[in-house]
Amino acid sequence: MNSFNRLQEAQQTLSPIFSSIDTKVKKNLRRVLEAFRRHQVGVHHFAGVTGYGHDDLGREILDRVFADVVGAEAAAVRVQFVSGTHAIAAALFGVLRPGDEMLAVAGAPYDTLEEVIGLRGQGQGSLKEFGITYRQLELTESGEIDWQTLAAAIRPATRLVHIQRSCGYSWRPSLSILDIEKIVRLVKQQNPETVCFVDNCYGEFIEDQEPPAVGADLIAGSLIKNPGGTIVPAGGYVAGRADLVERAAFRLTAPGIGREGGATFDQNRLLFQGLFLAPQMVGEAMKGNHLTAYVFDQLGYPVNPAPFAPRRDVIQAIKLGSPEKIIAFCKAVQSYSPIGSYLSPVPAQMPGYESDLVMAGGTFIDGSTSEFSADGPLREPYVVFCQGGTHWTHVALALEAAIEEVGQCEG
């Protein structure tokens, strides 16, 4: 069967799943529209201010809308966050103090957090350098949360529990909202004062609730991932308890300024519009993930999640088994990208990552993983990770080429 026919067959088989995704998109879009109506968003909120950014009405209303959408008391949605890692770091440094312990309950964190914590690198400005200790609970052999260990894991010094919603570069199931709710419940039973923080990257709008709605104290993420709707040019967010959001904002700006400063550089319209588009864009990415999983499972490659498994983020992993196949896959994705299709991905060191990466990302927003992209670290077991997608038909076209390119490596 050629690649075109494989994709046609996959599309027909997955039609019921695509329909169920559309139903979820409608539910999430209703939640966004209700927040827009509640706060009476109008064209006057698109205007930005300059300089210090004081009294930016659009920014203030966007924070309230975003907080409503994710079920939080407050939010800070800012173009000044340079990445999701920056937003997460601001949250961690905002909450933690010397002598506190941070406990990661879902195994090792994403690569880019290792230097923030002080697990790798020279420790310059890391949590470790500030006297904050770190501990992690390993996952079970099947990649699940070790619930029994977690039930007795909180110590007197455990100020914050770190919950990474997405699998990152790990071959494990990502966390569902029900998983996060159970983690929060177990933590709060041991110490109600321990802050439950969720790295929400890649998980927004996958389900019909976000972590604050099930008890998480604080979340953070990137606007060039799901909640930016593929059109926000930069930024990130923190949301949750109002006092904790303010602490994170103090780290972004300065104590005494917090959320009151930060010009929006006339980006308010894109920030609002991106949030409006986000449920639809996430739905398209989920369809692309199912399609990718189905066709490569049919070709005999291990995939995570499985083709018909519920989605918990917008990442689809394929265990290709060799660096040559990862490079070939990324080359195909790049060649079917709207921007830079003439480029050929090569492995290289990336800031914040331990291993060399090969990345395909011909996106309109540089580095956007809400647009269709693929990457993978060149280390065992040689897994490529696909993210995002503005529409599943684009993913289908890229997959036709990827099947051919990877197949040639087998010859």
Side-chain angles (χ1 to χ4, degrees), residues 132-276:
I132 296 159
T133 58
Y134 172 80
R135 183 166 51 102
Q136 72 184 41
L137 303 184
E138 301 301 336
L139 298 169
T140 64
E141 289 186 5
S142 61
E144 305 286 345
I145 298 289
D146 187 339
W147 300 109
Q148 185 174 356
T149 300
L150 175 59
I154 305 303
R155 298 172 180 173
T158 310
R159 170 63 175 148
L160 179 143
V161 162
H162 174 274
I163 305 164
Q164 183 170 293
R165 184 172 180 177
S166 172
C167 62
Y169 281 147
S170 301
W171 189 267
R172 68 161 176 88
S174 296
L175 300 181
S176 68
I177 287 292
L178 286 177
D179 291 331
I180 293 169
E181 184 176 25
K182 185 176 180 181
I183 291 169
V184 171
R185 185 172 66 250
L186 286 174
V187 170
K188 297 296 185 179
Q189 285 174 353
Q190 296 170 73
N191 184 357
E193 299 304 314
T194 298
V195 173
C196 291
F197 167 76
V198 179
D199 171 353
N200 210 33
C201 289
Y202 302 106
E204 300 90 349
F205 295 111
I206 294 293
E207 302 190 50
D208 56 15
Q209 286 181 304
E210 297 300 328
V214 296
D217 297 300
L218 189 63
I219 64 174
S222 168
L223 295 181
I224 63 170
K225 296 183 174 67
N226 304 18
T230 77
I231 65 170
V232 174
Y237 71 88
V238 293
R241 270 173 38 192
D243 61 319
L244 300 178
V245 171
E246 191 68 9
R247 282 172 172 258
F250 282 164
R251 297 276 63 83
L252 173 64
T253 57
I257 298 177
R259 288 185 287 160
E260 301 303 316
T264 47
F265 305 108
D266 291 322
Q267 299 300 310
N268 281 338
R269 194 267 297 175
L270 288 176
L271 294 169
F272 279 109
Q273 190 174 4
L275 183 59
F276 167 72

Side-chain angles (χ1 to χ4, degrees), residues 171 296 300-302 317-327 329 377-384 406 409-410:
W171 189 267
F296 274 87
Y301 291 96
I318 311 166
K319 193 177 292 184
L320 293 175
S322 76
E324 292 79 16
K325 288 183 179 180
I326 290 181
I327 294 169
F329 187 98
L378 291 189
R379 62 187 184 219
E380 294 282 359
Y382 298 111
V383 177
V384 70
V406 171
C409 293
E410 294 173 347

Side-chain angles (χ1 to χ4, degrees), residues 34-42 45 61 64-66 68:
E34 286 173 352
F36 274 58
R37 286 203 304 268
R38 188 176 302 117
H39 295 282
Q40 299 183 327
V41 176
H45 293 126
I61 293 298
R64 294 176 196 172
V65 168
F66 196 96
D68 267 12

Side-chain angles (χ1 to χ4, degrees), residues 25-26 36 52 58 71 178 190 214 240 274 304 309 313 355 372 393:
V25 167
K26 184 179 179 181
F36 274 58
Y52 296 126
L178 286 177
Q190 296 170 73
V214 296
N304 180 42
D313 59 19
S355 306
F372 185 50
T393 47

